[in-house]
Structures are given as structure tokens and as C-alpha cells.
Amino acid sequence: MTDLLDHIKAQISANGPMRIDEYMATCLLHPTLGYYTTRDPLGAQGDFVTAPEISQMFGELIGLCLAQTWLSQGSPARFTLAELGPGRGTLMADILRATRNVPGFVAAAEIALVEASPKLRDVQAAALAGHKVTWFDTADTLPDQPLYLVANEFFDALPIRQFIRTGDGWRERQIGLADDTNDTNGALCFGLGPVSPQPALAHRLEDTSEGDLIEDCAQIAPTLQAVSTPIATHGGAALIIDYGDWRTLGDTFQALRAHEKTDPLTAPGACDLTAHVDFEQLAVAAAPAQYTRITPQGVFLERLGITQRAQVLAKTLTGPALETHIAAHRRLTHPSDMGNLFKVMGLYPPMQPPPPGLEP
């Protein structure tokens, strides 16, 4: 039993069942006991691996995509180069390395990282040594100027709520205490609240049936507004890369520990909690910026030339290093790996073309 589990049980005992978004926020961001605030979760020694950690090619192509967009928009002399949830700083480091030969790009960039974890901020600072970096707690505090931004596996960690349809109303899925304190879920269990109307979910009555479960993320809209407004007003672009689809349906709330799926109610604060991203919610929140069609990650990377880049890098490799490189290319692009599971959506200003590799 962890200290955070004791804290959550005490909260439920005092206040009643806890919403899933409250549980996620507590588990991930508690100031002294939260998952992201107390550890580096990435890599072989962590709980999961993201695309930038798999291969440098991912960050290189993202960087060149943003740089080409910057060029096509007239190369503004000052802009924010930002990342939401930058992990170890690997992606931003690869972006900066790949774009250093684009005349004026790195010199004009003001690097901004939106990161809640003090521990990860230290790791990012080391990865980006030699560059001036400014950290922000939230996206709505980014500078009011042209914005070129990437968010890779950021929105999947935003807290969600779950609802089960009952007639024309909804019952919210909540977390409470099991009667049996020896329960295998550490005395936490799922339950359902009373039937209640949810006006924000009215559009989901058209594509759901009795008993269907849907998920809703209230933080998507304000976060995306903070990104889309400067892009629409001053120029720029955003690349959002995450797993999910258009208008998700079903239970996708999940936990990862040591690269294996585990019960999300077990060991709160010691495992990563995520849910699939509803890209329709992103699209609805994109105004006043334009949004692109969602594109599978594999298709997006192939359009940007990942196979050609892989072939160039392969010429310098042999043996196990070459095998690892080939496997990384496959993992990023193949439909049975990350190629179809992960999707890409771009934001861009009205009256401008979308970023390379994406369609209006």
C-alpha cells in the first residue's frame, strides 16, 4: 500500500466516490506523491517509450516539417518553438539539431517547454544544454507571438471522465471503496453515479446505444484554445501526435508499469495513466485556427520522407545497430505497430496551407 493510496482512500471516505479525472490528476500530478512529479517515467528503465526515444528520425522529420512551415509563412524573425509535455527533451533536441542548417530558424526560435514535472525539467535542461529554454506550467502562458508547436503523447495524459448511457441520460463511472479491504484492487473499485443529463454530451446520443461507455476530456478545449489563438492571430502551426481516433467509443482508461499494462486502480502514483484521445474534441476546439484531417502516423512520416532518411542512416550501420535501426523504422511506421494506432492532426492559420504531410 502506498502513501498516495492512503491519501486517495481518505479522500473517498471523507467526500464520497471520486471522479476518474480527479483520480488521474491526483495520481499523476500530486505535488509530492504524483507519478510525473516524482520520477522519470521514460525509457527502458521507466514505464513506457515514446517515438522520439525510439529513433532520431522522428524528431528530425517533425523539426523539418515545422521549419518548412516557418519558411512558407515568411520566416518570422521571432517566434515561439514550443513542446507540450516534452518528456526527456529528446524530441526538442532532435528538432533543433535537424533545423540548424535552415537559415535563421534556430536563431529566431524562443524555446518554450510546457512541463509540470520538476524532475523532468531537470532532465530536459541537460538534454538541451547550450540552448536558452523557458519553462511554462500551462499552455495559456506562452508568449503572444507566432507559435510553432508539437505535442507528442501529451493529450492522452489529460484527465478524462467516463459516462455510461442510460436512456437519454448518463451515469458517471466513479471510483469508490470496496467492502472487502483485502480486495485485489487495493480496496479501490469502480462504481456508477446516478442518472443525470449531460448537455455537453448531447451529440453522443446520435451514435451510442444503451450501455455504451464514452469518455470526455474537459481540459482539451482550454489547452487547445491557448495554442490555436496565437497560431490564428500571429501565424505558426501545431502538430498533435497521439493514439486515439475520431469520436472514441468504449473504455480506453489504462495504466502502464514497467512497459506492461496493469490495473489502473493498483499502486496509484507508481504507474502511468492514460486514455485514447478523441480527435473530434480537438477539432471542435481548434477554432480560430484551421485543423487538418487526422492522418495515421505511418502515413505522415512516409510523406515526410522517413524511408529515404532511414536508408541514408542505414549506410553507416552494421550488425546489431543496423537491426535496431530497421526495427525502429518499422515500429514507427508499420500499421501493426505505431503506424496506425497513432494519429496526427495539424493546426494552422486561416488562408495558409497546412503543414507538410497533412491535408486540409
Side-chain angles (χ1 to χ4, degrees):
M1 186 172 293
T2 66
D3 291 339
L4 188 58
L5 178 56
D6 288 338
H7 170 76
I8 290 170
K9 289 172 63 179
Q11 291 290 104
I12 293 173
S13 295
N15 304 318
M18 181 179 284
R19 292 180 354 193
I20 291 176
D21 60 341
E22 296 170 343
Y23 177 77
M24 286 184 70
T26 301
C27 291
L28 297 178
L29 297 173
H30 186 280
T32 58
L33 302 171
Y35 179 76
Y36 287 131
T37 53
T38 59
R39 71 195 67 214
D40 175 1
L42 291 160
Q45 302 305 313
D47 296 308
F48 59 92
V49 176
T50 61
E53 308 289 335
I54 293 170
S55 172
Q56 68 184 65
M57 296 184 293
F58 182 83
E60 289 172 348
L61 293 174
I62 293 296
L64 293 174
C65 177
L66 292 176
Q68 181 58 56
T69 306
W70 175 76
L71 289 168
S72 70
Q73 292 183 17
S75 307
R78 181 183 178 193
F79 68 93
T80 303
L81 179 62
E83 184 176 358
L84 304 184
R88 288 180 168 175
T90 304
L91 176 54
M92 183 58 73
D94 288 342
I95 288 172
L96 292 168
R97 188 188 68 257
T99 57
R100 63 191 174 190
N101 292 325
V102 178
F105 182 81
V106 174
E110 297 179 359
I111 304 167
L113 303 182
V114 178
E115 178 58 68
S117 167
K119 188 172 184 66
L120 285 176
R121 286 188 180 194
D122 291 339
V123 177
Q124 293 154 14
L128 296 169
H131 295 281
K132 182 181 178 181
V133 180
T134 304
W135 281 267
F136 297 84
D137 292 328
T138 56
D140 58 4
T141 55
L142 290 170
D144 189 27
Q145 61 184 16
L147 174 63
Y148 295 80
L149 176 142
V150 60
N152 180 61
E153 291 198 55
F154 172 80
F155 285 95
D156 63 85
L158 294 184
I160 61 156
R161 297 169 70 182
Q162 290 186 329
F163 299 91
I164 293 179
R165 182 171 173 180
T166 305
D168 287 336
W170 305 90
R171 298 183 70 184
E172 183 160 12
R173 200 173 185 217
Q174 300 171 332
I175 297 168
L177 299 176
D179 293 334
D180 181 359
T181 57
N182 292 319
D183 184 88
T184 56
N185 285 339
L188 298 180
C189 65
F190 288 108
L192 294 175
V195 178
S196 64
Q198 297 289 337
L201 302 179
H203 67 292
R204 296 308 307 267
L205 294 174
E206 67 189 37
D207 72 320
T208 56
S209 303
E210 184 78 13
D212 281 348
L213 185 150
I214 65 167
E215 296 170 339
D216 183 65
C217 179
Q219 289 188 23
I220 281 181
T223 302
L224 210 64
Q225 279 289 300
V227 172
S228 65
T229 299
I231 289 173
T233 305
H234 305 294
L239 298 175
I240 300 167
I241 306 131
D242 229 313
Y243 51 87
D245 214 328
W246 190 269
R247 192 176 285 193
T248 57
L249 179 65
D251 180 11
T252 71
F253 182 42
Q254 62 185 12
L256 278 178
R257 191 175 189 183
H259 301 270
E260 298 289 340
K261 288 188 177 181
T262 187
D263 188 328
L265 302 187
T266 297
C271 53
D272 186 38
L273 300 177
T274 65
H276 285 207
V277 176
D278 185 335
F279 277 82
E280 183 185 39
Q281 285 194 281
L282 292 172
V284 169
Q290 302 286 103
Y291 65 90
T292 70
R293 299 181 187 182
I294 58 172
T295 301
Q297 175 178 290
V299 173
F300 174 68
L301 293 175
E302 290 294 356
R303 288 174 177 171
L304 294 181
I306 191 171
T307 294
Q308 292 86 341
R309 177 58 176 154
Q311 290 168 345
V312 170
L313 291 174
K315 292 178 181 178
T316 65
L317 302 173
T318 58
L322 178 59
E323 293 174 4
T324 299
H325 173 64
I326 293 171
H329 174 260
R330 175 185 171 87
R331 187 171 178 185
L332 290 174
T333 61
H334 197 275
S336 65
D337 286 304
M338 299 174 73
N340 270 355
L341 175 63
F342 282 77
K343 309 295 193 302
V344 185
M345 176 181 282
L347 304 184
Y348 59 103
M351 310 305 293
Q352 291 283 350
L358 299 172
E359 299 173 327

